[in-house]
Amino acid sequence: MPFPEERPRRLRRSSALRRMVRETELKAADLIYPLFVVNGRGVKKAVPSMPGIHQLSVDKLPAEAKELQALGIPAVLLFGVPDHKDALGSAAWDQAGAVPRAVSALKDRYPELVVITDVCLCAYTDHGHCGIVEKDEILNDPTLELLAKIALCHAAAGADMVAPSDMMDGRVAALRAALDREGHSHVAILSYAVKYASAFYGPFRQAADCAPSFGDRAAYQMDPANGREALREIALDLQEGADLLMVKPALPYLDIVRRVREASPCPLAAYNVSGEYAMIKAAAERGWLDERRAVLEALLSIKRAGADLIITYHAMEAARWLP
Ligand code: PBG
């Protein structure tokens, strides 16, 4: 019996009615805030391509953690920006590096804060690729050993969770085995299971200084044209021991978020990446978008698609704006 008996507007008449029938809720507890950590002291250096985001030295982190705690944001994702780069990315597993020091500084003062570390080589290698390079090829299996070293270094510093973003095959199994062998069986793995070779990482590469010096990442990250392949990637990562899955980027891939949600009961994160952030910031700066509404709508859409958690540079402002 359609119109005139059926009138969906009846349930939109007041804000109380709309609240009663609202299907999706975005809350501070869903958010994970990325931090870029550098060496030195007193460093707070703006990232031009990401307004509002800074590279921070370790001593600046407790203030961030305090603010996150006050806002109810439970977790951070740490990225390191080293001083020294070489062919293997050896600074990545230096126990005195910025990330391990950041992990201990945060866990000492804010034990409740969930500290997740990005595990990858690209910010640490002089060629900017996420693995060992031989004759312009990114080698898979030898790279796994280095990734395991990075994960162990972060776990030894007290990380709650490691998040491999390199897209080598078999890295989840390699990390799980290494962590378990070294007494870190409690450390969880958040796998960047479904990570596309995306133009939307552009601004991040300025923040983390990790653009590849030759070629691109298409030989290891996924082809944006592929959806079924995402299901294959998550099946493999779950078999290998992933505790949480991730789809990345988020907004151009909401169909994938939905498909992964339907395919697995595993907790699912989506990464609202740097380019998604920069687009809203740029439009808002020009007065073309209402920033607050656009941010909350974009994040809500990611939850509606099926994500449990959202990694986003908007986390702090969104938490302040939430009703
Ligand atoms: C490193 C890594 C990247 C991002 C997260 N981890 C860059 C890349 O793969 O090129 C992108 C995050 C963002 O754009 O916000 N492998």
Side-chain angles (χ1 to χ4, degrees):
M1 197 69 23
F3 185 80
E5 287 80 7
E6 280 278 17
R7 288 181 185 271
R9 284 188 54 184
R10 282 185 198 118
L11 298 181
R12 297 180 199 140
R13 285 181 55 237
S14 71
S15 102
L17 277 167
R18 291 193 292 273
R19 238 179 79 212
M20 287 169 71
V21 297
R22 190 157 293 145
E23 299 173 30
T24 311
E25 190 195 3
L26 178 69
K27 44 192 195 316
D30 304 328
L31 305 175
I32 299 171
Y33 189 56
L35 290 168
F36 298 101
V37 194
V38 294
N39 290 311
R41 275 194 68 79
V43 183
K44 183 167 183 178
K45 190 175 164 213
V47 178
S49 54
M50 300 173 71
I53 300 299
H54 299 84
Q55 294 180 342
L56 299 165
S57 52
V58 173
D59 56 302
K60 294 281 187 190
L61 297 180
E64 300 285 314
K66 188 172 177 205
E67 210 172 332
L68 291 164
Q69 191 175 50
L71 291 166
I73 296 168
V76 291
L77 174 60
L78 303 183
F79 291 94
V81 188
D83 302 326
H84 163 78
K85 298 184 193 246
D86 60 29
L88 292 180
S90 59
W93 55 86
D94 176 1
Q95 205 66 51
V99 169
R101 283 189 295 111
V103 171
S104 7
L106 288 168
K107 292 303 289 184
D108 278 353
R109 310 244 320 248
Y110 294 90
E112 295 292 299
L113 181 73
V114 175
V115 176
I116 311 169
T117 58
D118 185 83
V119 172
C120 196
L121 287 166
C122 61
Y124 298 89
T125 51
D126 49 18
H127 46 72
H129 276 288
C130 305
I132 300 173
V133 171
E134 197 179 273
K135 296 192 202 95
D136 288 5
E137 273 238 28
I138 314 320
L139 303 182
N140 193 90
D141 300 12
T143 298
L144 299 180
E145 281 167 45
L146 304 188
L147 295 170
K149 280 172 119 156
I150 304 174
L152 288 177
C153 164
H154 297 173
D160 296 293
M161 212 182 275
V162 290
S165 67
D166 51 279
M167 288 304 276
M168 298 301 122
D169 291 330
R171 79 275 173 75
V172 173
L175 261 53
R176 188 71 273 156
L179 289 168
D180 289 356
R181 190 182 60 234
E182 300 294 327
H184 303 297
S185 58
H186 58 283
V187 174
I189 299 177
L190 163 58
S191 176
Y192 285 69
V194 182
K195 178 173 178 180
Y196 288 93
S198 172
F200 292 95
Y201 307 150
F204 174 95
R205 290 180 185 173
Q206 204 177 74
D209 184 23
C210 71
S213 62
F214 67 90
D216 56 30
R217 304 207 201 288
Y220 42 107
Q221 299 180 347
M222 285 173 60
D223 183 340
N226 292 357
R228 289 193 310 268
E229 191 185 359
L231 304 182
R232 187 163 179 232
E233 283 284 1
I234 65 160
L236 289 168
D237 282 15
L238 287 169
Q239 280 167 23
E240 290 181 29
D243 299 283
L244 303 96
L245 299 171
M246 190 200 301
V247 171
K248 178 184 175 187
L251 295 173
Y253 296 87
L254 292 182
D255 59 322
I256 306 298
V257 172
R258 165 58 49 182
R259 285 170 78 170
V260 170
R261 165 74 307 141
E262 282 168 1
S264 167
C266 188
L268 175 62
Y271 199 143
N272 177 228
V273 300
S274 56
E276 301 171 46
Y277 175 84
M279 282 197 298
I280 292 187
K281 288 285 170 191
E285 266 176 18
R286 287 163 179 72
W288 293 349
L289 271 181
D290 176 333
E291 183 174 8
R292 175 179 170 150
R293 288 188 59 204
V295 166
L296 292 178
E297 183 177 333
L299 298 179
L300 185 71
S301 76
I302 298 168
K303 282 220 66 190
R304 194 189 59 237
D308 302 301
L309 299 165
I310 306 172
I311 301 161
T312 180
Y313 306 98
H314 295 295
M316 290 239 207
E317 56 195 14
R320 269 183 223 112
W321 291 334
L322 280 171

